[in-house]
Amino acid sequence: MNKFASAHWQGDIKQGKGTISTQSGALKDQPYGFNTRFEDEPGTNPEELIGGAHAGCFSMAFSLQLGNAGYTPDSIDTKAKVTLEKDGDGFSITKVHLDMTAKIPGIDDDEFQKIAKAAKEGCPVSKLLNADISLDAKLQS
């Protein structure tokens, strides 16, 4: 399976502007630039997109692992906080913190934590990232 996204950029790093689009059309010419990445202006940025991809991928991996263990979640909510830090002359994504809350009938917290950890390690996006990935998993009753 191959999926794609594309980016178009015009101009220098500070004043330039770009757009990002995805194969599915979920993003179509979504604006991004220095100001959306470093100055909290409206628009997206690579870290936000990686965070969304990681949160979505982890949630699906967790659901799969739960199903394999005989559990069906009522809900899984995941937030991914992506940390971009100065690294020499450039920047690096150094950390991703996953914060997940789930409602799963019939599971105890030990089993929940074990499955959540396995999903974090087995998620394809986790495997892709060369960053410290942490997880806070909370089981709702």
Side-chain angles (χ1 to χ4, degrees):
M1 171 180 12
N2 294 303
K3 299 291 182 181
F4 73 84
S6 61
H8 175 76
W9 184 263
Q10 291 179 284
D12 68 13
I13 188 64
K14 289 233 177 174
Q15 304 306 315
K17 301 284 183 214
T19 58
I20 294 175
S21 299
T22 58
Q23 177 180 351
S24 68
L27 296 177
K28 176 127 177 82
D29 299 327
Q30 178 64 44
Y32 81 106
F34 185 90
N35 60 348
T36 65
R37 194 172 198 184
F38 296 106
E39 298 171 354
D40 292 326
E41 293 291 322
T44 194
N45 59 70
E47 293 73 35
E48 178 180 78
L49 295 170
I50 289 167
H54 201 177
C57 185
F58 168 81
S59 295
M60 291 178 75
F62 186 47
S63 179
L64 173 67
Q65 297 267 352
L66 286 166
N68 289 344
Y71 301 101
T72 302
D74 287 345
S75 63
I76 301 169
D77 294 291
T78 306
K79 179 179 179 180
K81 180 181 174 185
V82 177
T83 301
L84 180 72
E85 294 182 316
K86 187 84 169 117
D87 182 14
D89 290 339
F91 290 85
S92 292
I93 293 173
T94 57
K95 295 181 244 179
V96 178
H97 179 73
L98 299 170
D99 192 0
M100 181 267 294
T101 303
K103 186 170 185 178
I104 305 156
I107 196 170
D108 66 41
D109 193 59
D110 286 343
E111 180 79 356
F112 171 79
Q113 295 297 332
K114 181 179 100 182
I115 294 171
K117 182 178 184 231
K120 178 189 78 131
E121 293 168 1
C123 162
V125 173
S126 292
K127 291 178 183 180
L128 170 72
L129 297 174
N130 184 26
D132 176 34
I133 300 169
S134 58
L135 168 67
D136 282 336
K138 296 171 210 72
L139 179 60
Q140 284 183 326
S141 52

